[in-house]
Amino acid sequence: MNDWPEGWSDSDRGNRYGGGSANAQPESPRVMRQVRRGPAAPPQGAGVPPQPSYVNGQGYGDYTNAQNTGYDSGYSSGQVYGDGGDSGGPGGYDTRAPRPAPNWRRRIKWTAITVLTVLVVTTVGTYFWADGKLKREVDLSKVIDRPEGGDGTNYLIVGSDSREGLSAEEKKELHTGSAEGKRTDSMMILHVGSNGDTLVSLPRDSDVELPTFVGSESGKTYKGTGRHVKLNAAYATDGPELLVRTIEFNTGLRIDHYVEIGFAGFANIVDAVGGVEITIDKAFKDKYSGADFQAGKQTLNGEEALAFVRTRHAFAASDLERTKNQQKFLAALAHEVATPGTVLNPFALYPTLSAGLDSLIVDKDMGLYDLGSMFFAMKGVNGGDGTSLNMPISGSSGGNLVWDKTKVKQLVNELNNDEKVTVTGN
């Protein structure tokens, strides 16, 4: 049987080793087809790289030349195929360094620093914004013959009936009337000290002596004649400076700061905090102020709050009862302003600050810290941490309420020495 390739015959074999020939010389080695392990064959027309040949039966020839031509000899040089290629490629290995775990301590630290920086910047910005809105219009340096200051801080808080900023419709809604100028509807002394805070109401009809004073606008000196007037007449005569001078002259208590708010500002602050909750002991109605309240706990809006603190015709004690209601409501308002729901909520805080600062008139030495101290003291009085009373009254004269001089002297001494107040008022 002929097992040679087609076209071959035994005669073509010649002297072949192993083919029955007498020649013992083995046949020369055959040149075998080389198998390339490298990349796929180049496209047609790109040419075929030169094939290395055996040299003296020792395998491929110039190995260096094969490397230079980029030809894979088929012998392993220790290199893993696919190494250095794209990670995730066929047969490849990812030789990149592993991604380090996140440093949470560092992230938390920088997050905290960022939040703290934002809070500081916001707080400082708010402080300067609010400080710039304060109307420092009252100059207490114009007040003459002032008494010595005592321990603690005394604020004179005045509610005026100013209609400034109110439209005709608003005046009608708030039942303010249309009187020109402004008068004092309420006056209180708030003492802030280390032995509890004290709020003392000064009835507008209090009988006081009008002292010698220097005109706030004219600069002229007006000699006192011993004339007695109602306390609110001092304000009507020459404004805040004469009111302070009159109170100091008649009490001997030095006033450290002055704060005044008008009708519009008061109503706007109440509305800005979303109303103020208060308990009304007995129902009352007053056509002059527009008050119409039932007894019990309720939340008053700006219009209702203004009616509540202005009402006096509905009470037998008239002005004395009104001052009690004013104390009660102002303390409740301060409590509402100072709650976390207002202080920590920018959507409540900024409207409240804006409404209050736009309508407050203070003395030239008043700062935001002083204003904050005043509000927190008012909150303390409402929470039972302080004392509230009317100026002690001994009787009346010509329609004016006469102060009890003995009790007033004791009260002033206790306030000046920052002692716990033991005096009671009407």
Side-chain angles (χ1 to χ4, degrees):
M1 180 178 179
N2 185 356
D3 56 358
W4 293 100
E6 183 179 355
W8 286 25
S9 66
D10 288 341
S11 60
D12 295 324
R13 292 182 293 175
N15 295 328
R16 312 274 185 195
Y17 176 76
S21 169
N23 189 352
Q25 182 180 359
E27 65 182 69
S28 62
R30 297 177 184 176
V31 178
M32 298 179 65
R33 182 182 301 275
Q34 304 304 312
V35 179
R36 182 175 183 178
R37 298 184 191 178
Q44 185 175 0
V48 178
Q51 303 294 316
S53 61
Y54 273 97
V55 178
N56 298 324
Q58 300 298 319
Y60 286 106
D62 187 358
Y63 179 68
T64 303
N65 185 56
Q67 284 182 319
N68 292 339
T69 61
Y71 181 74
D72 185 357
S73 66
Y75 290 91
S76 174
S77 62
Q79 178 181 0
V80 179
Y81 285 93
D83 187 23
D86 241 0
S87 63
Y93 296 89
D94 190 352
T95 60
R96 294 177 298 182
R99 185 174 182 180
N103 188 335
W104 288 109
R105 180 176 296 179
R106 181 183 177 87
R107 291 187 179 184
I108 292 173
K109 181 184 76 171
W110 282 107
T111 299
I113 290 175
T114 301
V115 171
L116 181 61
T117 301
V118 171
L119 288 175
V120 170
V121 171
T122 302
T123 302
V124 172
T126 300
Y127 178 88
F128 284 104
W129 167 77
D131 189 71
K133 291 178 74 68
L134 277 178
K135 298 179 180 178
R136 298 180 174 92
E137 300 178 1
V138 179
D139 188 356
L140 295 183
S141 67
K142 295 179 179 179
V143 180
I144 62 173
D145 299 332
R146 308 193 69 186
E148 293 293 328
D151 296 328
T153 304
N154 298 316
Y155 297 85
L156 177 60
I157 304 171
V158 175
S160 76
D161 65 356
S162 172
R163 281 82 171 168
E164 183 178 355
L166 293 177
S167 65
E169 183 178 352
E170 288 172 329
K171 291 177 183 178
K172 183 178 180 180
E173 290 178 357
L174 298 176
H175 301 271
T176 65
S178 300
E180 295 298 327
K182 59 181 181 179
R183 286 150 294 276
T184 52
D185 251 22
S186 62
M187 290 158 284
M188 303 177 188
I189 295 174
L190 174 65
H191 174 82
V192 179
S194 58
N195 283 300
D197 305 316
T198 304
L199 186 62
V200 183
S201 287
L202 310 175
R204 55 176 283 178
D205 294 338
S206 296
D207 185 84
V208 293
E209 181 182 340
L210 198 63
T212 299
F213 67 97
V214 175
S216 58
E217 297 295 335
S218 65
K220 295 181 179 180
T221 298
Y222 298 89
K223 291 290 185 179
T225 60
R227 182 168 64 100
H228 281 242
V229 297
K230 292 183 178 181
L231 182 58
N232 67 337
Y235 183 95
T237 300
D238 199 50
E241 288 85 357
L242 179 55
L243 177 62
V244 170
R245 166 71 175 135
T246 302
I247 292 173
E248 290 185 343
F249 177 80
N250 285 269
T251 63
L253 184 69
R254 185 184 180 97
I255 301 299
D256 299 298
H257 292 293
Y258 178 92
V259 181
E260 178 186 327
I261 186 169
F263 282 163
F266 182 80
N268 289 339
I269 293 175
V270 174
D271 287 334
V273 297
V276 175
E277 185 177 81
I278 194 169
T279 299
I280 297 177
D281 298 326
K282 185 178 179 180
F284 63 89
K285 188 174 182 179
D286 182 9
K287 66 178 182 178
Y288 296 99
S289 67
D292 188 1
F293 298 107
Q294 299 299 316
K297 182 180 292 186
Q298 49 204 288
T299 299
L300 307 186
N301 61 25
E303 178 184 346
E304 294 166 337
L306 189 59
F308 179 78
V309 299
R310 294 184 61 225
T311 297
R312 63 172 179 159
H313 295 92
F315 310 123
S318 186
D319 203 36
L320 290 176
E321 188 66 29
R322 176 168 70 169
T323 56
K324 293 179 181 179
N325 284 342
Q326 289 171 347
Q327 286 180 349
K328 184 177 183 178
F329 188 85
L330 287 178
L333 174 60
H335 175 80
E336 187 65 37
V337 171
T339 57
T342 300
V343 175
L344 300 180
N345 181 1
F347 297 103
L349 176 62
Y350 285 98
T352 302
L353 284 175
S354 183
L357 296 174
D358 283 341
S359 55
L360 287 180
I361 296 175
V362 299
D363 65 90
K364 293 184 180 296
D365 295 325
M366 186 83 160
L368 285 179
Y369 177 83
D370 302 307
L371 193 61
S373 176
M374 184 192 79
F375 272 102
F376 277 100
M378 293 282 287
K379 178 184 177 181
V381 170
N382 181 64
D385 294 333
T387 304
S388 60
L389 68 152
N390 278 328
M391 186 65 83
I393 303 297
S394 61
S396 62
S397 174
N400 295 352
L401 297 174
V402 179
W403 294 349
D404 187 322
K405 293 183 179 180
T406 302
K407 287 186 175 182
V408 169
K409 184 177 180 179
Q410 180 184 348
L411 173 63
V412 170
N413 284 336
E414 291 175 342
L415 294 178
N416 275 331
N417 295 321
D418 199 18
E419 298 173 351
K420 183 68 177 178
V421 172
T422 60
V423 176
T424 59
N426 300 74

